[in-house]
Amino acid sequence: MDAQGDDLWGRPIGRRAEDAGAPRPDPVLRLLDEIDLLVEDSMRDGEPRTGYDFDDPTYPDCPNPYCHESWHGLAITLRMAQMRDYGMLDPEYDYRADDSGVMCPGSGHQGEWPEPAGEWEIEWDLEDYASALHPASGSAAAPVDPRLARADGMWMAVSRPATMVWVSSALIAFVSMFTEPAHWRWLTPVIGISALLTIFWLFRRKRRRLPVGYMRERLCARPETIIALGPMVGASWLPTVWAWRTPLDTSGDVAAGYGALLLACALAGVGHVTVQLSRIRTVASESVDGAGETDRVAHASNLVVLSFYWLIFVLPVLLLFGWTVGRFTFQPAAMWAAVGVAVVSLIVLFVESLVLHIITRDGGGIAMIILFGALIAAPLLWWSLHTLATTHLRL
C-alpha cells in the first residue's frame, strides 16, 4: 500500500486529509474524533486472540484488594458469588431485590474498601444453598425459603458438638468390645478433641460462610445457646477424667468408664435440647412479616426424622451385631454401652420433638413419640444400665 493509501486508512472517519491533525469546532464531532483515536489506539496491536473483553489479559483488574474479579461497575453480592460458585442461576433472582451482603461495592468505589461479607469461594455442603434452588418443573415439592434454610443450617451447626460427643462415644464403646479397658481408655480424649474441633469449625469456617454478623446476632439474642456450648464441650472430657483417675482394679471401675460415656452423652444432650428449643423463639430483628426464621412444624418433623434414623439404622445394627458376633468378642457386655449411647441420643431427640409437637398442638405426633419412647427407648436404656451394672466386666 502506498503513502496515499496509508493516509486514507489512518485518517479518522469523516475527516479530510488536510484537517486530520486539527480539532474540529463542533463538540460532537470532537467527541467522535476522540472515540476514533481511542479505538485506533486499542486496536493498534490487533484484536486479542481470546476475543474482545473476555479473558483479555490486558483487561484491568478490580482495584479492590479483597476482590479477585476483573473490573466491574456493579456491586457483587454474596448471593451472586454463591450462584456463580454453585454453577447455577436462580431463575427468580432479582438484583434490585438482593439484600445479601456485599462482596465488592464495584471497581468505581471511592474511599476505603470494606471487607467482603463472606468467602469468595464457598465450601458447599448439605446445609448450604441447596435449599435456595427451586425444584424442577413438575415436582410436587414446595420451594424452600433460603432464609429459613440458612438459619436451619446455622443452628444445626451450633448443636453439632453434642452430635460429635454421641458419635465418638458410640464408636469407643463399640471398639471396647474388642480391646482391654487398659487400651481403649486412652481413646477417650478423642471425644473431647472432636468436640473442640467442632467448636473451632463453627466459629472459624461456618461463621465465614454466613453474612457478616449473622451468627453473632442470633447467638447474642439467645445467650442460653452460648451457655449450652459449655455442657457440650465440658461433658466431652468426662470419659478422659475417668481414664486418668481410675486405676482399673475391679469390674466396677470398668463399669464406671461406661457410665462416664453415658453421662457425657446425657449432658451433651442437655446442650443440644437448649439450642434446638431456643432457636424457635421469635426475635423481632429476624422477623419478616411477623414470621421468624424457624418453621416450628418443619423443625419438629426434622427432629422426628433424625430420631428415627437412630431408631431404624443405628440401634438395629448394634443389637444384631451384639447378639450374633458380640458373644465372641473380648467384652460382650460392651455392646450395651454402645446401645445406651444410641438410646440417650434418641431420647434427647424424642424430648425435643415432643416439646415442639406440644407447642404446635399436633396430637398424632405427641402420641407417636410417647409410644415409641415408652415401648422402645425407655426399656432399652434401663436394660443397658442394668446389664453394665450387674455384669462382671473383664479387666
Side-chain angles (χ1 to χ4, degrees):
M1 185 179 294
D2 56 13
Q4 184 177 2
D6 291 340
D7 177 71
L8 178 62
W9 285 104
R11 184 190 315 161
I13 299 174
R15 301 292 300 275
R16 296 180 302 172
E18 59 271 19
D19 298 333
R24 292 189 281 189
D26 191 335
V28 176
L29 296 179
R30 286 203 305 271
L31 177 60
L32 293 175
D33 291 341
E34 292 177 2
I35 294 175
D36 290 338
L37 292 174
L38 288 174
V39 172
E40 178 185 356
D41 182 68
S42 64
M43 300 295 291
R44 187 180 305 278
D45 298 328
E47 185 176 354
R49 296 180 179 180
T50 55
Y52 178 73
D53 197 18
F54 177 76
D55 200 21
D56 185 355
T58 64
Y59 193 77
D61 294 329
C62 179
N64 184 354
Y66 301 106
C67 183
H68 309 295
E69 303 292 337
S70 300
W71 199 98
H72 56 93
L74 292 176
I76 298 178
T77 65
L78 180 61
R79 185 80 170 91
M80 294 166 65
Q82 290 175 339
M83 289 189 294
R84 177 176 180 176
D85 191 69
Y86 193 79
M88 183 176 293
L89 177 66
D90 185 349
E92 297 186 6
Y93 174 76
D94 186 354
Y95 183 82
R96 296 167 297 180
D98 188 350
D99 59 353
S100 61
V102 176
M103 302 294 292
C104 178
S107 302
H109 175 73
Q110 301 294 328
E112 296 185 1
W113 295 100
E115 293 187 7
E119 291 185 348
W120 282 99
E121 295 183 1
I122 314 296
E123 293 184 6
W124 297 103
D125 55 30
L126 294 179
E127 300 171 356
D128 297 323
Y129 192 66
S131 58
L133 301 178
H134 292 269
S137 58
S139 173
V144 181
D145 188 346
R147 185 177 67 96
L148 301 184
R150 177 189 295 170
D152 183 66
M154 191 210 78
W155 289 116
M156 292 298 290
V158 173
S159 61
R160 186 169 294 179
T163 305
M164 295 304 299
V165 173
W166 296 340
V167 173
S168 54
S169 297
L171 290 176
I172 290 178
F174 182 79
V175 170
S176 70
M177 297 176 64
F178 305 92
T179 59
E180 299 178 3
H183 296 158
W184 67 260
R185 67 188 297 185
W186 302 118
L187 295 176
T188 53
V190 172
I191 306 174
I193 293 173
S194 63
L196 287 178
L197 289 177
T198 307
I199 293 292
F200 178 81
W201 168 83
L202 172 66
F203 289 103
R204 289 286 298 176
R205 303 184 67 86
K206 180 64 179 180
R207 179 179 60 85
R208 290 183 178 182
R209 300 179 191 175
L210 300 170
V212 175
Y214 183 89
M215 180 180 293
R216 180 179 63 253
E217 293 174 359
R218 281 147 185 80
L219 292 180
C220 291
R222 302 169 179 84
E224 65 274 10
T225 58
I226 302 177
I227 299 175
L229 295 175
M232 296 183 195
V233 177
S236 65
W237 291 100
L238 287 179
T240 304
V241 173
W242 163 83
W244 280 98
R245 297 179 62 89
T246 306
L248 290 181
D249 293 332
T250 64
S251 174
D253 295 334
V254 181
Y258 291 125
L261 290 177
L262 295 175
L263 180 60
C265 293
L267 292 178
V270 173
H272 195 280
V273 170
T274 303
V275 171
Q276 294 300 325
L277 295 185
S278 296
R279 59 174 288 191
I280 67 175
R281 180 157 53 88
T282 302
V283 177
S285 59
E286 304 167 4
S287 302
V288 176
D289 296 332
E293 292 183 329
T294 298
D295 185 338
R296 298 181 178 181
V297 176
H299 185 36
S301 300
N302 291 338
L303 291 174
V304 170
V305 171
L306 287 175
S307 62
F308 273 86
Y309 172 83
W310 287 87
L311 183 62
I312 296 175
F313 294 102
V314 179
L315 278 176
V317 171
L318 291 174
L319 292 172
L320 181 62
F321 181 87
W323 285 331
T324 55
V325 183
R327 67 185 66 183
F328 304 107
T329 61
F330 175 81
Q331 197 81 271
M335 177 202 71
W336 292 106
V339 171
V341 169
V343 172
V344 168
S345 62
L346 176 63
I347 291 176
V348 169
L349 296 173
F350 272 169
V351 170
E352 295 169 352
S353 56
L354 177 62
V355 172
L356 285 172
H357 279 92
I358 292 176
I359 294 176
T360 57
R361 299 179 181 180
D362 184 356
I366 295 173
M368 179 188 65
I369 295 170
I370 293 177
L371 179 65
F372 280 98
L375 296 182
I376 298 178
L380 281 177
L381 180 60
W382 175 85
W383 184 253
S384 298
L385 296 174
H386 173 75
T387 302
L388 294 174
T390 58
T391 302
H392 179 75
L393 302 174
R394 301 176 63 181
L395 299 176

